[in-house]
Amino acid sequence: MKKFNFRKVLDGLTASSPGSGSGSASNSGGAGSGSVHPGGTAGVLREEIQESLTSEYFQICKTVRHGFPYQPTALAFDPVQKILAIGTRTGAIRILGRPGVDCYCQHESGAAVLQLQFLINEGALVSASSDDTLHLWNLRQKRPAILHSLKFNRERITYCHLPFQSKWLYVGTERGNTHIVNIESFILSGYVIMWNKAIELSTKTHPGPVVHLSDSPRDEGKLLIGYENGTVVFWDLKSKRAELRVYYDEAIHSIDWHHEGKQFMCSHSDGSLTLWNLKSPSRPFQTTVPHGKSQREGRKSESCKPILKVEYKTCRNSEPFIIFSGGLSYDKACRRPSLTIMHGKAITVLEMDHPIVEFLTLCETPYPNECQEPYAVAVLLEKDLILVDLTQTNFPIFENPYPMDIHESPVTCTAYFADCPPDLILVLYSIGVKHKKQGYSNKEWPVSGGAWNLGAQTFPEIIITGHADGSIKFWDASAMTLQMLYKLKTSKVFEKQKVGDGKQTCEIVEEDPFAVQMIYWCPESRIFCVSGVSAYVIIYKFSRHEITTEIVSLEVRLQCDVEDIITPEPETSPPFPDLSSQLPSSRSLSGSTNTVSSEGVMKDSIPCLSVKTRPVRMPPGYQADLVIQLVWVDGEPPQQITSLSISSAYGIVAFGNCTGLVVVDFIQKTVLLSMGTIDLYRSSDLYQRQPRSPRKNKQFIADNFCMRGLSNFYPDLTKRIRTSYQSLTELNDSPVPLELERCKSPTSGLATRTPEAAPGFYRNEMPAVRQRNQVHHLPVKGSRKLSLPTDLKADLDHVNGHCTSPTSQSCSSGKRLSSADVSKVNRWGPGRPPFRKAQSAACMEISLPVTTEEARENSYNRSRSSSISSIDKDSKEAVTALYFMESFARKNDSTVSPCLFVGTSLGMVLLISLNLPSSDEQRFTEPVMVLPSGTFLSLKGAVLTFSCMDRTGSLMQPPYEVWRDPNNTDENEKTWKRKLVMNYSTSPQEAGDHQYTIICSEKQAKVFSLPSQTCLYVHNITETSFILQAEVVGMCNSACLACFCANGHIMIMSLPSLRPMLDVNYLPLTDMRIARTFCFTNEGQALYLVSPTEIQRLTYSQEMCDNIQDMLGDLFTPIETPEAQNRGFLKGLFGGSGQTFDREELFGEATAGKASRSLAQHIPGPGSIEGVKGAAGGVMGELTRARIALDERGQRLGELEEKTAGMMTSAEAFSKHAHELMLKYKDKKWYQF
């Protein structure tokens, strides 16, 4: 049957559709449709650019998951295969082997994993989940699958035990009963050990749930059952009776055997350990409280915290190991969680950083009746996995080869770079290895199972993570692995905050003032730029040499005085009121003194953090070259940075926030441009900002500003960062009514400006080490922060009838203009374009309140209402995207020149022209001119990303400077010249009219032709949702636009025609962590933070999906099971009869009968034959069934052929014997017989 490909049909229909739309490019085409501007050069474009990408190149699939399993609950180890399994509260299982062997599995139910049991050296795993279901996983394939499931209907599973080399699994339940399951068929046996038969008839109370099951090392026919109330039963499986019973007055948590099978040890809730001998079960052979205070004889030892687990392991040449968790004294409340190792008379307490979830002792032999010879302890903590070396007296830990410390500090941002320069990984590793921790065990990591080979598709990949403590980590992500390369601490640039003035210096951020908010990295030039939550930008340069130098810093005063009207009569209030008379009333209204010091002086021109002024030693690696800080303005804190970009070729860094734009020359260390977003329009403001009435109280603003700590962003980690991500903001929690707004102090016009300079412009004629630059400031009236998760932000989605979307700001605030600034507003004149409401999700509003349930459902899917008044006009136009490129700044330009693309939250794109000195020598001395070009482009929604293509359709990369070590003393500094790479596919003179700019916003994508500024293609990506992340990426020697939508869709569009290639509902946005960390990169790769501790990588490349099996590691490798030790004649004679025990005869259906059908239900898994038959459907199902039937028919034909051959052989033998018999009696007479 021929396969029918719908994607080819869709590609054909899209390609054959007419090239021009019926309307203009700004409103033609619906979601999922592309159109061409009627005045464009689309015909020429299509003739010259042949798009090679089709929908067959794309497919979404998950590849690998890195990091520590989130909320772990269970741990298991296979001592022969040497692989480790971790179960989690979300139903996930991570299986780890040697580096590169890392597999992720997920239970469909999502129920928590209670316990894991390996079928040792069988390539299988049994998991017990909290929904009372047992699952059998097949590990003999690269992606494990469930073979069978058994659902218990009437009893809750509490404990499981699988003896070595046995196919019968013991299952204890909450009712105290013990059931037996056949692992091969996953069918319940009729053999049941009922709790009322296990305990004595005279016992009047229920023994509680089963907390332990294990067979005797001496005799496999005896089962040890531990109950919660302190009862232990030694059950004879053959005679079906209790051979002995043990009672203790403290609850039991765990039990472990001595390998000889004559003694066992119990841990109890009072912090005691009891050792029992089978010959005298009346009382413990030994009772100890390891951490209890010594008491006088005859007195009971002091009670301690419960010992949750104990393991009793023996050694041939030394004393046994007794290892347990818990048991500390109650009077040491501040003690951290600990693991205690008792070896002979020595007691070692290992304190842990996190609570202990589970631990296992790794032993040399899998046989329970042999000397165990422990060599390591695997300790599973809530947020870490460590292995302790038991072979050394100081018990060092092994160096963990897995990336288990991604969450060492909460991740606040991520960046992903594929196909980066190959030498970068070696360079970063060589620097980072010098700073690795010391004191690890000198032995290799014990978890060394599985096999891993380098796949066919290998290219250098680097992942960068920013963290709440200001640290930045570089990771090698090549070949489906993740290894730490280098760690950078940005907090070392700033002074440590003293305890006395902590309030004064930490008003902006409550807990994490150094939290990393945005990162920008140029791998070719090795320039690294980072912005923090405290409104700072740090530029780093890479050097192989250590230096000691002072850190250069700039302080930028970003301010603007133009806002819109919130009252029809702004002139009723004087433009310059008495500030002193207004401060008391302001303080009484806000009830806070955050912006006014105890002396009554308002904060002004003060940065949020203090940069170190003394010389600082900088080790090899990334070294701070320049620190730029936004300062307080008139008592208002600086707003968080929403966009960041840097150009090593131009030596310029640009960043913006909801106030305006800052451009800095980091070569000469001077500010080139610092002005409000409104001023960038000059005389062409499309939104007609006008004077406002008196603006909001400064103290109220300080109480509601957006820069706060992580405590509100990570509810599960008690930390949550609020960042000014361009698409994720909310309204203030408690807005002030409009009547109070009009009564507040009008404090505008306090900023000074020299008449000689144009507003916001700077000439860098005098390079300064430390500058304070005064420009206009746009007051902050809204709380700009990252949205809360859906379940926490329902009540914040509607405030006074205003519903916000990701880029919105509070609109109910006002400010009066000074008389000098009114003339500035009037110069735009009456002929300006009419006000247009912002098309982004930032200004969507409703007039009716919504319920909490509706807010939860509509928090990411909101509708626009027609109720818009003058109060709703939003002047908070944030800068959301920046992009440096050689392009055409104006329509009449004939050649490309350095440009800066600026995208705003209102969907506007402004081009800023950069006039650089012509020679390298002049670049260090002559000023750089930065001027808005007057070119404006518009889209619907906040602008997210830019990119450019040349006339051949090749993706253009921004120019960069080739890296050179700035501290290299071997080279001659005088003769050195900067080497720039411009990335021209053609010469600048031949570029002509054939450069194309791709711009994507929250709602749509457009392709413009420059310098004509003609819109060639427009694609309305979504109407009911908005785009969270968009990136132009290279793939298969071509380019495409990748988008991640708030409704969970991943969409791929070809370039430049914007034809849809892929639209998959991949991931519903249930956590803002995903929105904050999702990022695309080249070669069809993407990632996001799936949990606070794990990174999920995925691919949208069909080729990689086809080859993913070759890139993953093998969990199971054929290994011979070690032979059991020779027990010797005397041990064989007196050591019990365990070797003759036949479980099949005892538990099989013939002897034990069938279990009740209502007790448990067998469910075939997708990996079994029954699962394949049940899951098959449609054509593939028919093919699968036909293939199975064909295999069965072939098998039957083979059997028939063998039977036929056997019959022919028998017939020939019979004929031969008959012939011999005939010859023998041929000549004999009848009487001779």
Side-chain angles (χ1 to χ4, degrees), residues 6-132:
F6 285 96
R7 290 191 292 186
K8 286 185 178 181
V9 176
L10 292 176
D11 289 342
L13 291 174
T14 307
S16 61
S17 62
S20 62
S22 58
S24 65
S26 61
N27 57 12
S28 62
S33 64
S35 63
V36 182
H37 195 282
T41 58
V44 178
L45 179 65
R46 289 186 175 180
E47 290 177 5
E48 295 182 358
I49 300 179
Q50 298 294 330
E51 296 181 3
S52 59
L53 293 179
T54 64
S55 58
E56 291 184 344
Y57 283 82
F58 301 97
Q59 182 181 344
I60 295 287
C61 72
K62 296 179 181 179
T63 54
V64 68
R65 182 172 292 198
H66 302 298
F68 180 74
Y70 184 53
Q71 296 180 332
T73 54
L75 182 69
F77 181 71
D78 188 328
V80 179
Q81 288 290 322
K82 295 189 181 302
I83 56 177
L84 191 77
I86 301 175
T88 71
R89 194 177 300 174
T90 58
I93 298 177
R94 287 279 295 280
I95 304 174
L96 305 172
R98 68 176 67 247
V101 179
D102 188 344
C103 182
Y104 170 80
C105 316
Q106 176 67 48
H107 293 90
E108 292 184 359
S109 63
V113 178
L114 298 179
Q115 194 175 353
L116 296 172
Q117 285 273 326
F118 275 106
L119 276 68
I120 297 177
N121 204 27
E122 296 292 336
L125 175 71
V126 175
S127 63
S129 54
S130 60
D131 59 350
D132 307 310

Side-chain angles (χ1 to χ4, degrees), residues 493-495 505 513-514 534-538 551-558 605-612 626-632 638-639 641 655 662 664 671 674 770-773:
V493 174
F494 303 99
E495 296 284 358
T505 57
F514 308 112
S534 297
Y536 64 83
V537 171
I538 308 176
I551 301 175
V552 183
S553 65
L554 292 176
E555 295 178 1
V556 181
R557 184 182 177 91
L558 189 58
S605 301
I606 300 175
C608 303
L609 300 173
S610 298
V611 179
K612 292 181 178 178
L626 177 64
V627 179
I628 310 167
Q629 290 182 284
L630 298 179
V631 298
W632 289 65
Q639 292 296 282
I641 295 169
F655 60 93
V662 176
V664 175
V671 179
S674 176
R770 188 173 184 89
Q771 297 183 0
R772 292 186 178 180
N773 305 282

Side-chain angles (χ1 to χ4, degrees), residues 829-841:
R832 56 200 170 193
F835 176 82
R836 187 193 70 175
K837 181 63 184 172
Q839 299 295 326
S840 98

Side-chain angles (χ1 to χ4, degrees), residues 184 254 611 1025 1040 1143 1146:
E184 294 179 350
S254 68
V611 179
S1025 186
C1040 59
R1143 293 187 179 92
L1146 188 60

Side-chain angles (χ1 to χ4, degrees), residues 637-674:
Q639 292 296 282
Q640 288 184 1
I641 295 169
T642 58
S643 57
L644 176 67
S645 184
I646 191 170
S647 173
S648 60
Y650 306 153
I652 295 176
V653 62
F655 60 93
N657 58 10
C658 63
T659 303
L661 174 67
V662 176
V663 180
V664 175
D665 182 352
F666 65 83
I667 293 180
Q668 302 185 35
K669 308 296 189 297
T670 55
V671 179
L672 303 177
L673 175 71
S674 176

Side-chain angles (χ1 to χ4, degrees), residues 798-814:
H798 56 283
V799 182
N800 291 346
H802 290 67
C803 179
T804 62
S805 119
T807 53
S808 61
Q809 296 290 329
S810 173
C811 300
S812 57
S813 61

Side-chain angles (χ1 to χ4, degrees), residues 31-329:
S33 64
S35 63
V36 182
H37 195 282
T41 58
V44 178
L45 179 65
R46 289 186 175 180
E47 290 177 5
E48 295 182 358
I49 300 179
Q50 298 294 330
E51 296 181 3
S52 59
L53 293 179
T54 64
S55 58
E56 291 184 344
Y57 283 82
F58 301 97
Q59 182 181 344
I60 295 287
C61 72
K62 296 179 181 179
T63 54
V64 68
R65 182 172 292 198
H66 302 298
F68 180 74
Y70 184 53
Q71 296 180 332
T73 54
L75 182 69
F77 181 71
D78 188 328
V80 179
Q81 288 290 322
K82 295 189 181 302
I83 56 177
L84 191 77
I86 301 175
T88 71
R89 194 177 300 174
T90 58
I93 298 177
R94 287 279 295 280
I95 304 174
L96 305 172
R98 68 176 67 247
V101 179
D102 188 344
C103 182
Y104 170 80
C105 316
Q106 176 67 48
H107 293 90
E108 292 184 359
S109 63
V113 178
L114 298 179
Q115 194 175 353
L116 296 172
Q117 285 273 326
F118 275 106
L119 276 68
I120 297 177
N121 204 27
E122 296 292 336
L125 175 71
V126 175
S127 63
S129 54
S130 60
D131 59 350
D132 307 310
T133 305
L134 298 173
H135 306 275
L136 178 64
W137 295 83
N138 179 21
L139 305 184
R140 293 175 178 256
Q141 55 194 47
K142 293 191 175 183
R143 291 192 181 272
I146 294 178
L147 296 175
H148 302 281
S149 297
L150 188 66
K151 169 72 175 176
F152 281 76
N153 297 323
R154 295 185 296 180
E155 298 193 53
R156 305 294 305 271
I157 298 174
T158 57
Y159 195 86
C160 298
H161 171 64
L162 180 64
F164 178 51
Q165 293 181 332
S166 171
K167 68 175 184 179
W168 297 96
L169 175 70
Y170 300 108
V171 181
T173 66
E174 193 177 28
R175 293 186 179 181
N177 302 325
T178 302
H179 301 274
I180 302 173
V181 179
N182 188 322
I183 290 296
E184 294 179 350
S185 60
F186 241 57
I187 296 177
L188 207 60
S189 171
Y191 192 108
V192 182
I193 304 175
M194 304 299 292
W195 67 271
N196 53 356
K197 294 183 179 180
I199 64 174
E200 289 182 344
L201 297 177
S202 59
T203 305
K204 298 181 180 180
T205 59
H206 191 278
V210 176
V211 296
H212 178 81
L213 291 169
S214 62
D215 54 338
S216 171
R218 190 178 184 186
D219 187 355
E220 296 178 353
K222 307 292 176 60
L223 184 67
L224 192 69
I225 308 173
Y227 295 94
E228 189 181 51
N229 71 339
T231 302
V232 180
V233 177
F234 196 51
W235 183 264
D236 190 334
L237 295 170
K238 289 184 178 179
S239 61
K240 299 183 180 179
R241 65 180 182 85
E243 186 170 302
L244 61 89
R245 298 180 179 90
V246 168
Y247 298 97
Y248 196 70
D249 54 359
E250 293 291 341
I252 291 177
H253 287 279
S254 68
I255 304 175
D256 199 19
W257 280 100
H258 188 278
H259 81 277
E260 293 180 352
K262 299 177 182 179
Q263 296 175 342
F264 61 88
M265 182 174 289
C266 302
S267 68
H268 300 278
S269 58
D270 63 345
S272 64
L273 296 174
T274 56
L275 185 63
W276 299 82
N277 197 317
L278 296 181
K279 293 184 178 179
S280 56
S282 58
R283 65 176 188 174
F285 173 73
Q286 182 181 358
T287 302
T288 58
V289 183
H291 294 296
K293 293 182 179 179
S294 58
Q295 301 287 342
R296 295 180 181 178
E297 294 183 2
R299 287 190 178 185
K300 186 179 179 181
S301 300
E302 178 191 16
S303 295
C304 295
K305 296 179 182 179
I307 296 179
L308 302 179
K309 184 177 182 179
V310 64
E311 291 205 349
Y312 188 22
K313 304 300 178 184
T314 55
C315 304
R316 293 187 184 90
N317 302 322
S318 64
E319 296 291 330
F321 280 92
I322 299 175
I323 306 171
F324 60 89
S325 61
L328 295 179
S329 177

Side-chain angles (χ1 to χ4, degrees), residues 218-219 260 262 1127-1138:
R218 190 178 184 186
D219 187 355
E260 293 180 352
K262 299 177 182 179
R1127 304 182 66 190
F1129 175 74
L1130 294 178
K1131 286 189 177 181
L1133 183 63
F1134 302 104
S1137 58

